[in-house]
Amino acid sequence: MDILSGLLHGFSVILEPQNLLYCFLGCLIGTLIGILPGVGPLAALSVLLPVTFVLPPVGAIAMLSGIFYGAMYGGSTTSILVNIPGEAASVVTCLDGHMMARQGRAGAALGMAAIGSFVAGTLSVIGLTLFSPMLTSVALKFGPPENFAVIALGFVATIFMVQGSAAKGFIVMALGVFCACIGIDQVNGKERFTFGVVNLTNGFDLVPVVIGLFGISEILMNMERSEQRKAITDKIRGLLPTLADWKASWKPVLRGSGLGFGLGILPGGNPVTASFVSYALERRLAKDPTRFGKGAIEGVAGPESANNSAVAGGMIPLLSLGLPSNAVTALLLGALVIQNVTPGPLLAAQHPDVFWGVIASMYLGNVMLLILNLPLIGLWVQLLRVPYRILFPLILLLSVVGAYSANKNVFDLWIMLAFGVGGYLLRKMDYELAPFAFAMVLTPQIEQALRQSLIMSRNSPMIFIERPIAASLLFVVAVLIVALFFGLRPRTAGSETSS
């Protein structure tokens, strides 16, 4: 199936009424998540993951991915009007977006954020359409040794991209590997780390773990905060940017689109990193850098384009290689596996409805989000007045129902609470939780690839050296490890609030 026929097939799938509804719901929920400070896409996806179990695979992934990129759209609203980012990728939008609002230009800031997000989202989905099948054709040549090397690269790159201490990132990832190993070994049938507890023989289910780790810990963190939200609602007019705004913004939108797309593909890359790097780039390229932080529209256009573009970039390794590039795509990987759909090189051939349907849903989702964000801005402003003391009991209720509904097992509720408290304590000590999600999802895959490789080579590790692709990837892994050892890694401001 070529790209054009595949895309047409994807549109025929996503335009089915039920799939179209799930796509719209994802965009709507994502916008709400982005607008309401203190939730975030990662926590929302963790809580809503069980809801998708009863949905068809295309509708489930279209809805979850819609929540992801919808939150990128909605997050700019609170950043501009309230100076509180709805989610972490919109932190830098506060700097110039809120200053524009205070100067009476909230409409222009909101309009440029939405239009820039739409342009970047559409361009990045075009890139996703073109590059995913190409990468899939290359990945078909991969065997267990190559798969092991790719996942090993993902592990190391994740630590390499962790904000703050690499040692803390390694500790959290090691905890994730340990938790993923608990249960019955699928090869020899022996119990591992169960300590005689019957409920642990099946290991930790992904759903209660991520709900606790991200959802419950987010509730606990937000209960400590007493942010006073005062929205600028009386100065919103002129949602269409002026000609001067367009002239100043079109290059930042294109640069942000390309930058976010490239960073999204990289293991460990995420919309947060993309938005910060875009802001730094625009400030460096500006003729008058002193304008930034005082209401420069480029400081809104570039980062908002970059964080949306990074979403589609992150979908490329997920769909083509089965390798998540950030914590949210790790949850999407888990959702696909739960739906008995294995992402990777064979996804397009074995499940073309899912592969092309999800890509087509992102085209439609960008249009839906543009419609949701501009005409309904008055409604979103009213939602900013909802106090968190009303929101958190509802989120907690959804968390409990979601964790229990996965297996109908009360033990899962205790798992959720334990990981919620553990995640809260780790975040208080400045540990990021995203590496745990990576390890939890990818450990079974890397273990299986390693065992299959050793079986193929009769327990000789030379198979990883004799195969050029695996050897090249492991060489990159070694270089990154050396760079980590000598402290040579990028430093970018900010980190995901959900991690």
Side-chain angles (χ1 to χ4, degrees):
M1 186 181 292
D2 59 38
I3 292 176
L4 181 58
S5 60
L7 190 58
L8 291 174
H9 175 68
F11 275 108
S12 69
V13 172
I14 200 61
L15 287 174
E16 294 178 4
Q18 63 171 357
N19 290 332
L20 195 60
L21 174 62
Y22 297 138
C23 180
F24 174 77
L25 287 176
C27 293
L28 179 63
I29 294 170
T31 302
L32 290 172
I33 295 305
I35 287 172
L36 295 173
V39 183
L42 192 55
L45 282 171
S46 302
V47 172
L48 295 175
L49 184 60
V51 177
T52 64
F53 295 169
V54 297
L55 303 183
V58 176
I61 305 305
M63 188 173 82
L64 291 176
S65 56
I67 293 172
F68 186 18
Y69 57 80
M72 300 299 111
Y73 271 79
S76 61
T77 302
T78 47
S79 295
I80 293 168
L81 298 180
V82 194
N83 203 28
I84 299 175
E87 45 78 40
S90 295
V91 168
V92 291
T93 308
C94 294
L95 301 177
D96 287 283
H98 189 64
M99 287 302 298
M100 289 181 66
R102 293 177 62 182
Q103 296 164 9
R105 303 194 65 223
L110 290 167
M112 183 53 68
I115 295 171
S117 296
F118 172 75
V119 172
T122 302
L123 291 176
S124 61
V125 176
I126 292 174
L128 171 64
T129 306
L130 296 176
F131 286 108
S132 280
M134 294 169 55
L135 188 58
T136 295
S137 63
V138 174
L140 285 172
K141 302 176 182 179
F142 282 26
E146 288 78 14
N147 291 335
F148 171 82
V150 167
I151 300 173
L153 177 61
F155 269 90
V156 177
T158 300
I159 298 177
F160 194 79
M161 296 297 290
V162 163
Q163 308 298 329
S165 170
K168 289 184 175 180
F170 177 80
I171 291 171
V172 172
M173 184 168 283
L175 289 173
V177 171
F178 171 74
C179 290
C181 290
I182 294 174
I184 296 178
D185 190 318
Q186 297 299 316
V187 175
N188 56 33
K190 294 182 179 179
E191 293 186 8
R192 300 189 297 193
F193 309 115
T194 60
F195 306 104
V197 179
V198 176
N199 283 307
L200 290 179
T201 55
N202 289 326
F204 289 130
D205 190 83
L206 179 65
V207 174
V209 169
V210 296
I211 289 177
L213 204 62
F214 299 108
I216 301 300
S217 69
E218 188 72 23
I219 292 173
L220 296 175
M221 292 293 291
N222 279 287
M223 287 177 66
E224 293 184 351
R225 303 168 186 157
S226 57
E227 295 169 330
Q228 297 296 320
R229 294 185 250 164
K230 185 178 180 181
I232 297 176
T233 59
D234 56 344
K235 300 180 181 180
I236 301 175
R237 56 181 181 269
L239 287 174
L240 288 179
T242 65
L243 184 61
D245 291 333
W246 282 111
K247 186 177 179 180
S249 300
W250 72 272
K251 287 183 180 179
V253 168
L254 294 181
R255 281 193 291 262
S257 301
L259 180 65
F261 186 74
L263 289 175
I265 295 175
L266 297 176
N270 55 62
V272 184
T273 303
S275 63
F276 276 95
V277 173
S278 174
Y279 189 84
L281 177 64
E282 294 308 321
R283 187 167 184 170
R284 180 176 292 273
L285 295 177
K287 293 181 180 179
D288 182 12
T290 60
R291 293 174 51 248
F292 282 76
K294 301 177 181 178
I297 197 166
E298 303 97 307
V300 175
E304 284 299 314
S305 301
N307 64 36
N308 280 272
S309 186
V311 174
M315 297 295 286
I316 291 180
L318 173 67
L319 297 177
S320 303
L321 302 175
L323 182 67
S325 60
N326 53 62
V328 175
T329 50
L331 292 188
L332 292 177
L333 174 62
L336 284 167
V337 173
I338 290 170
Q339 292 276 357
N340 293 319
V341 175
T342 303
L346 298 178
L347 178 62
Q350 293 178 346
H351 302 280
D353 289 1
V354 176
F355 184 86
W356 291 108
V358 170
I359 292 176
S361 75
M362 297 182 74
Y363 282 99
L364 294 178
N366 276 292
V367 177
M368 292 176 180
L369 286 165
L370 186 64
I371 296 172
L372 284 171
N373 276 267
L374 287 180
L376 299 180
I377 188 65
L379 174 62
W380 306 136
V381 168
Q382 298 305 314
L383 289 175
L384 293 176
R385 299 176 179 175
V386 178
Y388 194 75
R389 66 177 182 273
I390 295 177
L391 286 178
F392 91 81
L394 297 176
I395 299 172
L396 182 60
L397 177 62
L398 287 174
S399 300
V400 172
V401 172
Y404 179 77
S405 63
N407 298 307
K408 308 295 191 296
N409 189 349
V410 176
F411 184 73
D412 284 345
L413 297 180
W414 292 108
I415 295 298
M416 178 194 73
L417 292 174
F419 276 92
V421 174
Y424 166 75
L425 294 175
L426 287 172
R427 291 175 66 174
K428 291 290 288 183
M429 295 184 288
D430 295 324
Y431 284 82
E432 293 189 33
L433 302 183
F436 188 99
F438 274 99
M440 191 78 180
V441 173
L442 293 179
T443 294
Q445 296 184 38
I446 196 172
E447 181 183 13
Q448 182 182 25
L450 175 61
R451 286 181 165 182
Q452 289 175 338
S453 300
L454 294 177
I455 290 172
M456 290 169 58
S457 64
R458 297 184 179 180
N459 293 325
S460 172
M462 291 304 295
I463 190 172
F464 300 108
I465 307 300
E466 295 166 352
R467 298 174 70 119
I469 296 177
S472 300
L473 291 170
L474 290 176
F475 175 76
V476 175
V477 170
V479 170
L480 290 179
I481 291 175
V482 171
L484 280 172
F485 181 78
F486 288 101
L488 304 175
R489 63 194 186 98
R491 297 282 182 179
T492 56
S495 60
E496 283 195 57
T497 58
S498 298
S499 56

